[in-house]
Amino acid sequence: MTLDDYRLSAEPAYHPCGQEIAHYRAAYAARLPVMLKGPTGCGKTRFVEHMAWALERPLITVSCHEDMTASDLVGRYLLGPEGTHWQDGPLTLAVRHGAICYLDEIVEARQDTTVIIHALTDNRRILPLEKKGELVQAHPDFQLVISYNPGYQSVLKDLKESTKQRFCAMDFDYPDPGIEAAIVASQAGISEGTARQLVQIAGKSRNLRGQGLDEGASTRMLIHAGRLMEAGLDLRQACQLALITPITDDADMRQALAAAVDACA
Amino acid sequence: MTLDDYRLSAEPAYHPCGQEIAHYRAAYAARLPVMLKGPTGCGKTRFVEHMAWALERPLITVSCHEDMTASDLVGRYLLGPEGTHWQDGPLTLAVRHGAICYLDEIVEARQDTTVIIHALTDNRRILPLEKKGELVQAHPDFQLVISYNPGYQSVLKDLKESTKQRFCAMDFDYPDPGIEAAIVASQAGISEGTARQLVQIAGKSRNLRGQGLDEGASTRMLIHAGRLMEAGLDLRQACQLALITPITDDADMRQALAAAVDACA
Amino acid sequence: MTLDDYRLSAEPAYHPCGQEIAHYRAAYAARLPVMLKGPTGCGKTRFVEHMAWALERPLITVSCHEDMTASDLVGRYLLGPEGTHWQDGPLTLAVRHGAICYLDEIVEARQDTTVIIHALTDNRRILPLEKKGELVQAHPDFQLVISYNPGYQSVLKDLKESTKQRFCAMDFDYPDPGIEAAIVASQAGISEGTARQLVQIAGKSRNLRGQGLDEGASTRMLIHAGRLMEAGLDLRQACQLALITPITDDADMRQALAAAVDACA
Amino acid sequence: MTLDDYRLSAEPAYHPCGQEIAHYRAAYAARLPVMLKGPTGCGKTRFVEHMAWALERPLITVSCHEDMTASDLVGRYLLGPEGTHWQDGPLTLAVRHGAICYLDEIVEARQDTTVIIHALTDNRRILPLEKKGELVQAHPDFQLVISYNPGYQSVLKDLKESTKQRFCAMDFDYPDPGIEAAIVASQAGISEGTARQLVQIAGKSRNLRGQGLDEGASTRMLIHAGRLMEAGLDLRQACQLALITPITDDADMRQALAAAVDACA
Amino acid sequence: MTLDDYRLSAEPAYHPCGQEIAHYRAAYAARLPVMLKGPTGCGKTRFVEHMAWALERPLITVSCHEDMTASDLVGRYLLGPEGTHWQDGPLTLAVRHGAICYLDEIVEARQDTTVIIHALTDNRRILPLEKKGELVQAHPDFQLVISYNPGYQSVLKDLKESTKQRFCAMDFDYPDPGIEAAIVASQAGISEGTARQLVQIAGKSRNLRGQGLDEGASTRMLIHAGRLMEAGLDLRQACQLALITPITDDADMRQALAAAVDACA
Amino acid sequence: MTLDDYRLSAEPAYHPCGQEIAHYRAAYAARLPVMLKGPTGCGKTRFVEHMAWALERPLITVSCHEDMTASDLVGRYLLGPEGTHWQDGPLTLAVRHGAICYLDEIVEARQDTTVIIHALTDNRRILPLEKKGELVQAHPDFQLVISYNPGYQSVLKDLKESTKQRFCAMDFDYPDPGIEAAIVASQAGISEGTARQLVQIAGKSRNLRGQGLDEGASTRMLIHAGRLMEAGLDLRQACQLALITPITDDADMRQALAAAVDACA
């Protein structure tokens, strides 16, 4: 696998919501690591894809999880006919060849994965491959990006202060209604009018956050609903499958959400 | 093992209870991942088998458990005479060759297994095999289905919001009495009359749910009872073995269930 | 090792206590999985041995424990001169070749071992060997039997509802005095009169259950006492060694049990 | 290593305290497994050595601990120039060739080690080597012996009832003063008079048990003190090193013990 | 990789704050191990780099984390075409060839890593490679340095007294405003005036420590902000990205920090 | 590595504080295992080195830690070009060839390491290498020594009674002021007068134990301070680095310790 597999072949659609593109460009110019903060499904991954395309850099994305170890990021020895040989992990690949490496929900990973990035995020910009006995000096184009959902973190599972302080941070949230409707319409292939209906429903659902609902409907879910409508379901059916049933089993909450759909239908 | 082992050779009997077939077809048409919600033994697995047959897709089913790791799904290196070689896991097999992959009770699995599906369930539709250094682009026919039993989940063990939001969800429950009797009769090879007796007993048992009984008798248990009757036991014996003794050791509860059997005999 | 090692060479003595033989025959005829419930040492293992002999099936018994993994049941790769080769575990051996597989105290095992049997215990009757990439269709003669001691289970360690519902269940308890004396006499090689004395003592010991004693003397312990008498000890010595000292260190309880022995001597 | 390494070359000195030799002989004649109960250092290991010598059987002793696994007892595959080969563990060695196997403090071991002995301790007398795929039928001379210190067991760490019930049990305690003095004199090579002084001190120390002292001085510790006197220390010095400093750091308790030594000097 | 990779090629800029250079030189002259205490991002790593350059020693830095094992420090066997060969870990490399080894945040590591350094930090100055069966006598130039952030340690995770007592310790804190402004100006490439503004903001942020903020802005963060300004952002934008968003999600705290920025702008 | 690497080449300086040399000689003459009790840094390791030199035995020291396993002590199989071969661990090396084996802070190790020494510390004096299938009879010169710091032990982590009772025990504490000053002077290469000042300061620091200080300054720390003075620091600087900063971060306590230094300067 070469790094070219990680180049984006087409421009990822992205609708800016503020100055985030200029801010990111400055951070990349200074090669500072960036942390994207915001709720799930609001477009953080899409934004990184867009910036990687705009900056003409390959993008290596890693979804972090609590069983992920440093070796999963950095690489490991594999046993072949000539004995063991080293295989670079996704982070090492990015560091060595100058990609943007995006660690999605890094706080889910074990501590060794967060510490491994320390020497990469200060002025040294090196990645020590301790098991291989190699010090990789980061490629000048390399940048590290992580995502972080503030609503999720518990006291037990949070980034260490000494990690947070190494990043520039940018806030993300769901786009304004007009922008969100444009996104949904273009990505689901439905009319702007229908998309606006879905965004209206999402607004009501997001208002219920904290009142029995952990999170409201995300932009991604609106696109799902739109695509189900494209596949022949009506608005009520599509919202039931894509917006209501996935996020709650509480009968009252389901009724409230269904009423919100009815009101916009 | 080729994917053909996973093709269903005969139409799995399925009695629809509502619009679930149309809804599933729409989700499959949009290649959206689907979550089936409902109690154990109500027919979720049977429904997926039916849809795989109807859509002419191979079906790869994986029963998840808390010791299951991402490698069990994705694949691993095995040591052979030529050194290590990679073996695709069941999920990779489905992704690569276009099967429907059904992860039964995914919430039981460790977190790394749920995160592995993130890049498969958004617009990227890719499966990164990090240990192999390969990005598998999903086959156009591939679809992911998971099951989820809302009654079981505890605070400690639930799907993350960022996972739930990636799925269209459909509710399942025990079928209406008439349909359930038809299912039991056809699958156990007993008369509709006897099947109706069993369904009546199940109804009483389900009413005791929450009053000392974790779950009532499932459709599967009724089929068991029917098959024991086919093998020569009478109604009382069959219900004792298949409906009562398995689910409770409480003397009062057993008596209540036995009385329910007597009332229907 | 061939499956013939698992065939019983002689009829295991078994004294029926009710309709358990007919019930088991019906479950086997329908190839339904069976759960045997009852206290330790009351004859569950002996019953399965008897049924395997009566049905002319090999019997593979596995004592489950909390460090047992799915691989211990299903099989694993071993490294040989030609690289790795697969070795079937005891469950796979039974599934492939049509034995009865008896998982003793399955609730002790880790969850992955209980989930592995799900696809074996519904209408699919398949065993997926995920590490090998093979789907084993169960031999028509294969049957799964598990034991379960209701008195032992804690909230933390119990079978999942979705597992319980897959089994027909049969209750076991210590046999009636007359039958138990016959069992003890024949298996320890002592007179029926002495055996009756031992059964009388056991009765008193079982009455103390819950009053400082976790369990009373089991049939197995009576056979032990009988065999010690055969080897030359008197009733008091034999009961001290086989019935009293093993199960309690409490001085009062020991005195109560010794008094029970004296009363029957 | 052959089994002959495990034969005792000389008669281990043993001073009987009651009928324990006859009781053990009866259990061995019936090939029943035996559990030795009693405090640490009171002579349980010595007794098993004596019986193995008297019965002309090799003795394989295993000190159990909480990191011990079933493989440590049963055996494992090792990698050699011809690929893997199986090596019997100490229990398998004893089972195969007819030794007495003594599992010291078995309750310390993990559960898998206690369950592994189940099939060895009922009428089957088999040891399933699951990883090897072999059923070892026990040699007719094989016997299993375990030790168990009732004072140590906690609720969390105790033998399961279903394990306890498989054993004949015998109680052990420190010997009567006369016998203990003879043991100490002969094993430490000191005069009977000095040995009686040490036994007197031990008596006082054992009376402090539960009053700030977990255990009193064991017979083994008296032998230690005697051997230090043989090496030139006086009674007070020897008792300080061997009886007092090892078992308590509490100043008052040390003073009480020193006073007990002074009173007997 | 040779040790030369670990030599610093240029003098790391360092602005002394007190007598720390003389103190460190004395400790190095006596080859005593040194512990650097202080908050994250205040310049400890930079100081060690400076001293390694001044003393003309290679510097091997290891970021410790809770999944790090002794083998990660000391080395391990790797499997090659000629069987296993030993590979020195970073600590062994330093010990053998006379580098300064800097273990950053050692308290994060598992206990085995802290005990491994015991024999290196007393008069023996040896590193036992237990797995290799080698005793490495430290090179005369070798020195061990660790960092320690007192504000982070919990009762559960602290250095053992017997470890602490082996080190000379030096306190570090953020530099005085004048020095800090000089550092920020020179490292971010901005004017002293702008740097002084940033230092003023940092002062206000550090005063909020303990009032809802775990730590104030570190010197490192000021350099980040400066570099963003160099890349074209204004003071407010740069502080938002580098000083505010990374360290808090609390709306009130963000407002307080933004006000602090405004006051200095 | 041969055992000669473990012979001491020069007499380790040791200043006796009482009869500890005679006591140890008696224990070694009787080949009884010895436990050294006392605070960290008071000279226990030095004492064992001295005795090994005096008795002309090699000394193998192992620093125990909570991740240490029995294999780390006993040995393990390594994979080489001829397949696996066994490598003795440090304990086996000592047992086989007659060294003194010193297990420092054994209570830190996992239980399997403490049980492994049981058969070595009773009259059998054997070390069973279960994984190798070998019984090593201890060399006549072998002796086992362990250290134990009573102030550290918690209820959860203490030696088992059955382990403690196998050892002769000797108490250690900081030496009397005159002896301690001589030790510090000779080992740091400073004048007796300066050494007496340091001992005076240590006395004050030890009085603060339990009043906010876990432990006072050890003899080792005084030697550190002395060596820093040799390297050019004055008394206050040396005490700050070596005696105060390492052991407390509490401002009041630091002031109290600094005042103690001033009073003795």
Side-chain angles (χ1 to χ4, degrees), chain E residues 58-77:
Chain E
L59 172 67
I60 299 183
T61 299
V62 181
S63 297
C64 300
H65 53 79
E66 64 184 20
D67 300 311
M68 196 171 78
T69 65
S71 294
D72 291 328
L73 281 181
V74 157
R76 52 169 53 84
Y77 279 101

Side-chain angles (χ1 to χ4, degrees), chain C residues 39-51:
Chain C
T40 193
C42 76
K44 298 189 297 295
T45 298
R46 182 63 66 119
F47 173 68
V48 182
E49 289 177 348
H50 179 79
M51 292 314 300

Side-chain angles (χ1 to χ4, degrees), chain C residues 20 24 40 76 91 93 111 146:
Chain C
E20 70 267 29
Y24 189 99
T40 193
R76 53 169 52 83
L91 176 61
L93 211 61
Q111 294 259 355
I146 65 176

Side-chain angles (χ1 to χ4, degrees), chain A residues 190 194 197-198 224-235 238:
Chain A
I190 56 175
T194 307
Q197 278 179 304
L198 290 169
H224 284 187
R227 289 172 64 192
L228 288 172
M229 292 176 77
E230 252 298 282
L233 300 191
D234 64 26
L235 181 71

Side-chain angles (χ1 to χ4, degrees), chain C residues 223-225 227-228, chain D residues 27-34 125 143-144 168:
Chain C
I223 299 169
H224 282 186
R227 287 172 65 193
L228 287 173
Chain D
Y28 185 76
R31 292 303 184 270
L32 292 175
V34 169
R125 280 178 63 90
Q143 189 199 25
L144 186 69
C168 296

Side-chain angles (χ1 to χ4, degrees), chain C residues 1 5-6 40-41 45-46 49 61-68 72 76 78-81 85 87-90 104-105 108 152 157 174 187 214-221 223-225 227-228 231-233 237 240-242 244-249 254, chain D residues 19 22-35 37 68 70 77 79 81-85 110-113 115-116 118-119 121-125 128-135 148 150-151 160-171:
Chain C
M1 180 173 53
D5 290 346
Y6 292 102
T40 193
T45 298
R46 182 63 66 119
E49 289 177 348
T61 300
V62 181
S63 298
C64 300
H65 53 80
E66 63 184 21
D67 299 311
M68 197 170 77
D72 292 328
R76 53 169 52 83
L78 292 178
L79 185 58
H85 66 275
Q87 187 182 50
D88 280 346
D104 197 10
E105 296 195 50
E108 294 291 329
Y152 275 16
K157 205 172 184 173
Y174 303 121
Q187 293 196 16
D214 284 340
E215 298 225 12
S218 64
T219 312
R220 173 185 292 129
M221 293 169 87
I223 299 169
H224 282 186
R227 287 172 65 193
L228 287 173
L233 300 190
Q237 289 173 318
Q240 189 67 44
L241 257 76
I244 301 176
T245 313
I247 57 173
T248 182
D249 297 307
R254 285 194 170 188
Chain D
Q19 296 187 296
H23 288 181
Y24 189 100
R25 281 187 179 276
Y28 185 76
R31 292 303 184 270
L32 292 175
V34 169
M35 179 196 298
K37 288 183 161 183
M68 197 170 78
Y77 280 100
L79 185 59
E82 306 299 311
T84 52
H85 66 275
R110 298 201 308 175
Q111 294 259 355
D112 62 343
T113 58
V115 168
I116 212 87
H118 275 198
T121 50
D122 59 25
N123 62 305
R124 291 174 289 168
R125 280 178 63 90
L129 307 181
E130 276 155 24
K131 289 192 179 157
K132 183 158 182 252
E134 181 186 351
L135 272 184
Y148 180 86
K160 299 198 297 179
E161 277 297 314
S162 63
T163 303
K164 283 184 189 171
Q165 297 212 356
R166 292 161 181 278
F167 288 86
C168 296
M170 300 167 62
D171 287 326

